[in-house]
Amino acid sequence: MKTNLMANDVMSHDTLPSDLINYDSSRTVTFPSSVTPLLPKTSDILMELQTHGWTLLRGCHYDVETFSQLMNQLCQTLTYDPARQNITSEAQKVDAGTHAIGLHIENGNTPMPPDVIAFFSELSAKKGSQTTICDGHAVYQALSPELKATFSQPMRISRYLPQAIWQNYVATATGRLDAYQISLDDLDKFITATTSKTLTHYVEPQADGGVRYALQIPAIREDNLSGQLAFANTLLGPSFNYEKPEFTLANGQSVDDALIDELTQLCEKYTQDIAWQNGDVVILDNKRIMHGRRQIDVPLTERKLYIAMGLGINYLDD
């Protein structure tokens, strides 16, 4: 069977420098329509992630089950968003309304954002709903020296989390099935275990069982595979299922609208649109590539998009 990779039907929203976006034949695994989908080699996927930060698998005729198998092959541990609906034991439904969504890394307001995320389009919208992807390494290179210095320091992310949300998160992260029995002591132990030189966090319990959660982490991080620095964070992102977070810089100043506008304009220069086709899979290095979405212009029943997320990478093929 011949396998080739190409990035046709990935549309650039802006004209991108040719050294940042490569449209040659090394981007998308394709298979003849009569062939049962085969999973690509992990090494091939990792090469794409190391070089470009993302890859598109098109024409492979995936379904939810093979998509789940692919992520099980690629990642050591699968993770979940407690506010999302599970479709399989690996994949969750993406449901965030119809409005456009700003660029962000997945679960970047948590202490354990996934290393790799993947999207599977079972039913693609015929109008709008393009997923946007932005290379955080290219954005980092374009930042002024002042902004590089600012975002290399830990910023503070603070928001309220209802009791059920923080209990489900800790249960998922620690492999427990009794989320409703997770206590504040369990939460404190989890915080202690996940604190590091680059990440600190704490909670302030609230009277209703929820917590005011604060996370301190730089907005610039190293990606998973190439070791390059990337502007990869949630500053421009949504809060569809959660309270909108407050961002505070290391100097104590809040991230204001003027800075958000400046970052939005800069990131848009390095942003592409993925016009989905049924059966497409996109895999992203979540420590390098930010993603978002253009507005959905069809009824939500005409779009079925799923997400799977993983911690740790399996470097050897099965």
Side-chain angles (χ1 to χ4, degrees), residues 81-120:
D81 187 324
R84 283 200 177 108
Q85 175 189 352
N86 279 63
I87 301 301
T88 68
S89 58
E90 295 82 9
Q92 295 184 293
K93 183 179 181 181
V94 176
D95 184 6
T98 60
H99 295 293
I101 291 177
L103 293 165
H104 61 286
I105 63 169
E106 199 66 27
N107 284 4
N109 295 328
T110 74
M112 296 173 61
D115 294 315
V116 175
I117 66 169
F119 294 100
F120 165 61

Side-chain angles (χ1 to χ4, degrees), residues 193-225:
T194 52
T195 295
S196 68
K197 292 182 179 179
T198 58
L199 185 155
T200 59
H201 50 146
Y202 60 90
V203 296
E204 297 176 357
Q206 306 295 298
D208 62 356
V211 297
R212 174 62 57 177
Y213 175 69
L215 170 70
Q216 293 190 159
I217 191 169
I220 293 170
R221 65 184 75 218
E222 285 189 4
D223 70 11
N224 286 298
L225 293 163

Side-chain angles (χ1 to χ4, degrees), residues 40-286:
K41 291 183 178 180
T42 298
S43 57
D44 290 340
I45 294 176
L46 296 184
M47 180 61 69
E48 290 299 302
L49 298 186
Q50 179 177 352
T51 305
H52 305 288
W54 67 282
T55 190
L56 166 67
L57 283 62
R58 171 157 289 169
C60 306
H61 312 286
Y62 285 108
D63 56 21
V64 175
E65 294 302 323
T66 49
F67 172 62
S68 299
Q69 293 171 23
L70 174 64
M71 284 300 285
N72 271 320
Q73 172 183 301
L74 184 61
C75 300
Q76 296 176 15
T77 304
L78 297 184
T79 63
Y80 308 93
D81 187 324
R84 283 200 177 108
Q85 175 189 352
N86 279 63
I87 301 301
T88 68
S89 58
E90 295 82 9
Q92 295 184 293
K93 183 179 181 181
V94 176
D95 184 6
T98 60
H99 295 293
I101 291 177
L103 293 165
H104 61 286
I105 63 169
E106 199 66 27
N107 284 4
N109 295 328
T110 74
M112 296 173 61
D115 294 315
V116 175
I117 66 169
F119 294 100
F120 165 61
S121 183
E122 182 178 65
L123 178 63
S124 303
K126 295 182 179 179
K127 185 178 181 182
S129 187
Q130 300 93 338
T131 289
T132 52
I133 58 171
C134 177
D135 187 349
H137 175 60
V139 175
Y140 169 76
Q141 291 182 307
L143 289 174
S144 67
E146 293 77 16
L147 286 180
K148 284 181 180 178
T150 294
F151 289 123
S152 294
Q153 299 298 314
M155 65 176 179
R156 182 176 182 268
I157 307 170
S158 176
R159 65 181 176 185
Y160 169 80
L161 296 176
Q163 184 175 10
I165 292 293
W166 67 257
Q167 284 180 320
N168 284 333
Y169 182 82
V170 173
T172 299
T174 57
R176 287 180 53 172
L177 300 178
D178 56 344
Y180 65 96
Q181 292 186 345
I182 299 291
S183 66
L184 284 171
D185 284 342
D186 295 320
L187 177 57
D188 286 338
K189 291 177 182 177
F190 172 75
I191 287 175
T192 299
T194 52
T195 295
S196 68
K197 292 182 179 179
T198 58
L199 185 155
T200 59
H201 50 146
Y202 60 90
V203 296
E204 297 176 357
Q206 306 295 298
D208 62 356
V211 297
R212 174 62 57 177
Y213 175 69
L215 170 70
Q216 293 190 159
I217 191 169
I220 293 170
R221 65 184 75 218
E222 285 189 4
D223 70 11
N224 286 298
L225 293 163
S226 70
Q228 298 181 110
L229 292 175
F231 182 81
N233 53 69
T234 61
L235 281 165
L236 307 180
S239 299
F240 185 75
N241 293 312
Y242 302 91
E243 177 183 281
K244 183 176 178 61
E246 298 175 359
F247 296 98
T248 306
L249 300 174
N251 62 8
Q253 295 182 346
S254 296
V255 177
D256 58 22
D257 291 342
L259 181 54
I260 292 296
D261 288 344
E262 179 182 354
L263 293 172
T264 298
Q265 293 179 31
L266 176 61
C267 289
E268 189 69 14
K269 295 179 181 179
Y270 302 95
T271 296
Q272 298 176 271
D273 290 358
I274 298 175
W276 289 103
Q277 295 182 16
N278 292 350
D280 281 356
V281 171
V282 168
I283 305 173
L284 309 177
D285 180 339
N286 195 48

Side-chain angles (χ1 to χ4, degrees), residues 284-301:
L284 309 177
D285 180 339
N286 195 48
K287 304 296 175 63
R288 171 175 171 177
I289 302 294
M290 295 182 290
H291 67 277
R293 189 192 68 209
R294 305 298 181 190
Q295 179 174 307
I296 299 176
D297 295 322
V298 298
L300 288 177
T301 55

